[in-house]
Amino acid sequence: MPVEAPIPVKSSPAPTPATAEAAARTEVQALYDQYVVPLANRGLTITRGKGRYAWDDQGRKYLDLGGGVAVNSLGHAHPAIRETLARQADVLIHSSNLYYNEWQGRLAQRIVELTGPGKVFFCNSGAEANEGLIKLARKFGHETGRYEIITAKNSFHGRTMATLSATGQDKIKHGFDPLVPGFLHVPFNDLAAIEAAITPKTVAVQIEGIQGEGGVFVATPEYLLGLRALTQKHNLLLLWDGVQCGCFRTGRWQSYERILEGVAGGEDFAPDAIAMAKSLGAGYPIGAVWIRQPYANVFTPGSHGTTYGGSPLACSVGLTVMDVIEQEKLDANIRLRGEELKRGLQALVGTRGIQEIRGFGGLIGMVVADEPGSVVSRLSQAGLILIPAANHTVRFLPPLNVTAEEISEALQIVQESL
C-alpha cells in the first residue's frame, strides 16, 4: 500500500538564544545585524570545534550531532583533513577545468568504483549537483521534445531557481514566482502516482532515498524497484538526490543500498545519475554528479561547466575523506551507532512528546509534538546540537566517527531535557 508523506508543515525556526542572551547583542551578532543578509534565525555563536564537540563564544561545550547539516562527516578539525589542507595548499589550490589535475581524476575513479560504470562531474554544492541532474535530463530529452521531470511532494532539492522548482514543498517557494516550468510533484512512495503523471513530455523522475529536510521519510524497497522498472519501460532517466542521505551516511555508500539490503533484485538497482555533496567533503565545499553509462557523454564540451568545481584542493580533501572512512571502517561504525541511537530513542516514544523514530545510521528523525525549532533550542541549552526539519521532526546527523559513549551522552541529554 502506498505510503504518502504528510503535507509539509510551516518552516521550523532555528534554535534561538536564551532570553538572558537576547537582551544584549554581542559584537559578532551586531556584525551580522549590520552586514549579513538575514536568511536564518541564528542561535549559538560557534567559535571552535574538536571531534564531535563544539564550543560557543561563552566557552560552553556542546555535543554536535547536527554535523553542520550532514556535512561534517568526520567531525570537527579531523587531523587527516587538516594535514591534507595544509599540504595541498602548498602544492596547488586551483587550476580551473581548462586543465587536467590528478586529484580530480583519482576522486572520480573512487566514486565510479563505489557506484558503477560511468563518469563524474564535479561542482561545489548539493544545489549545483541537483542542477546537474536537471540539465542532464533536459539535454537527454531535447531532441525528442521531452523536458518534464516528476519529483516527490515533501522533497527538497535546493534553493536555486531550478532546484527550488523541483522541490516539492510550497513553503520555500513563496515569493519566487514564476518558477521554472517542467516539474510535476506527486506523493512520495506512490508508484501509481508516478505512472499516472507520465506524459509524452516526461523525461525523468528525480527522488531522494530519504527525504531529510522533509522529515526523514524513507523510500520503500517496493517503490524503488518499481520506479526503476517503470522508468526503464518509458525510457526515462532515474535521477537520485543523494546529497544528504549519501556518502556513507546510512552505513552504505548510497542510501538505496541500505534500503534494498536483502531484497530480491536490490543488488542490481542503479539510478542513471546521482547528486552528491555534504558528507563528501566533510566540511570543505564539494559536489559531484555520477552519471551512468550510457548517459555519461550526454554532456559535451561547452554544454555545462564550473569554475571552482573539481579543484585540486577540494578533490584532495574528498580523497582523504574516502581514505579515512575506509581505513577506520566508519561505514560499519555509523551503522552500529545509528542502531544504538534508534533503539534508545524508540524506548522514549510515547514520552516527552516523542512520537516516532525514522531513518538509518547517521540520518535519524525524531518526530515530536512541539515545534522542532523549540525542541532543538531546549536541547541546545542542555548541550546537544541537532537540526530541525519539517513535519515536526528533529534530525540527528552525527559524524560517521561518533562513538558509543557520545550516543549514550546524547540519549541522556534527550531523556533529561525533554
Coordinates of all heavy atoms in Angstrom, one line a residue, residues 8 16 46 51 65 105 125 139 216-217 237 297 300 313 402 406:
P8 N 3.8 19.0 4.1 CA 4.8 19.7 4.9 C 4.1 20.8 5.8 O 3.2 21.5 5.4 CB 5.7 20.4 3.8 CG 5.5 19.5 2.7 CD 4.1 19.0 2.7
T16 N 17.1 29.5 19.0 CA 17.2 30.9 19.3 C 17.9 31.0 20.6 O 17.9 30.1 21.5 CB 15.8 31.6 19.4 OG1 15.0 30.8 20.3 CG2 15.1 31.6 18.1
I46 N 29.3 29.9 17.3 CA 30.3 28.8 17.5 C 31.7 29.4 17.2 O 31.9 30.0 16.1 CB 30.0 27.6 16.5 CG1 28.6 27.0 16.8 CG2 31.0 26.5 16.6 CD1 28.5 26.4 18.2
G51 N 36.7 17.1 17.2 CA 36.0 15.8 17.2 C 34.5 16.0 17.1 O 34.0 16.7 16.1
L65 N 25.7 16.8 17.2 CA 25.2 15.7 16.4 C 24.3 16.3 15.3 O 23.5 15.6 14.7 CB 24.4 14.7 17.2 CG 25.3 13.9 18.3 CD1 24.5 12.7 18.8 CD2 26.6 13.5 17.8
G105 N 40.8 13.4 -11.2 CA 40.8 12.1 -11.9 C 40.7 11.0 -10.9 O 39.9 10.0 -11.0
S125 N 28.5 22.2 -4.6 CA 27.4 22.2 -3.6 C 26.3 21.2 -4.0 O 26.3 20.7 -5.2 CB 26.7 23.5 -3.4 OG 26.0 23.9 -4.6
K139 N 19.0 17.9 -21.5 CA 19.9 17.6 -22.6 C 19.5 16.3 -23.3 O 19.5 16.1 -24.5 CB 21.3 17.6 -22.2 CG 22.4 17.6 -23.3 CD 22.5 18.9 -24.0 CE 23.8 19.0 -24.8 NZ 24.0 18.0 -25.8
V216 N 12.6 13.1 7.3 CA 13.3 11.8 7.3 C 12.3 10.7 7.0 O 12.0 9.8 7.8 CB 13.9 11.5 8.7 CG1 14.8 10.3 8.6 CG2 14.8 12.7 9.1
F217 N 11.7 10.8 5.8 CA 10.8 9.7 5.2 C 11.6 8.9 4.3 O 12.3 9.4 3.4 CB 9.6 10.3 4.5 CG 8.7 11.1 5.4 CD1 8.7 12.5 5.6 CD2 7.7 10.4 6.2 CE1 7.9 13.1 6.4 CE2 6.9 11.0 7.0 CZ 6.9 12.4 7.1
L237 N 15.0 8.9 -17.4 CA 16.1 8.8 -16.5 C 15.6 8.8 -15.1 O 14.7 9.5 -14.7 CB 17.0 10.1 -16.7 CG 17.7 10.3 -18.1 CD1 18.6 11.5 -18.0 CD2 18.5 9.0 -18.5
N297 N 28.1 10.6 -21.6 CA 28.6 11.5 -22.6 C 27.5 12.4 -23.2 O 27.7 13.0 -24.2 CB 29.3 10.7 -23.7 CG 30.6 10.1 -23.2 OD1 31.3 10.7 -22.5 ND2 30.8 8.9 -23.7
T300 N 28.5 17.5 -23.4 CA 29.7 17.6 -24.3 C 30.4 18.9 -24.0 O 29.8 19.8 -23.3 CB 29.2 17.6 -25.8 OG1 28.2 18.7 -25.9 CG2 28.6 16.3 -26.2
L313 N 42.4 21.2 -4.5 CA 42.2 21.3 -3.0 C 40.9 20.5 -2.7 O 41.0 19.7 -1.7 CB 42.1 22.7 -2.6 CG 42.1 22.9 -1.0 CD1 43.3 22.3 -0.4 CD2 42.0 24.4 -0.7
V402 N 31.3 9.1 15.2 CA 30.7 9.2 16.5 C 30.9 8.0 17.3 O 30.9 6.9 16.8 CB 29.2 9.6 16.4 CG1 28.4 8.5 15.9 CG2 28.7 10.1 17.8
E406 N 29.4 8.7 23.0 CA 28.7 10.0 22.7 C 27.2 9.8 22.3 O 26.4 10.7 22.6 CB 29.5 10.6 21.5 CG 30.8 11.2 21.9 CD 31.8 11.3 20.8 OE1 31.6 10.8 19.7 OE2 32.9 11.9 21.0

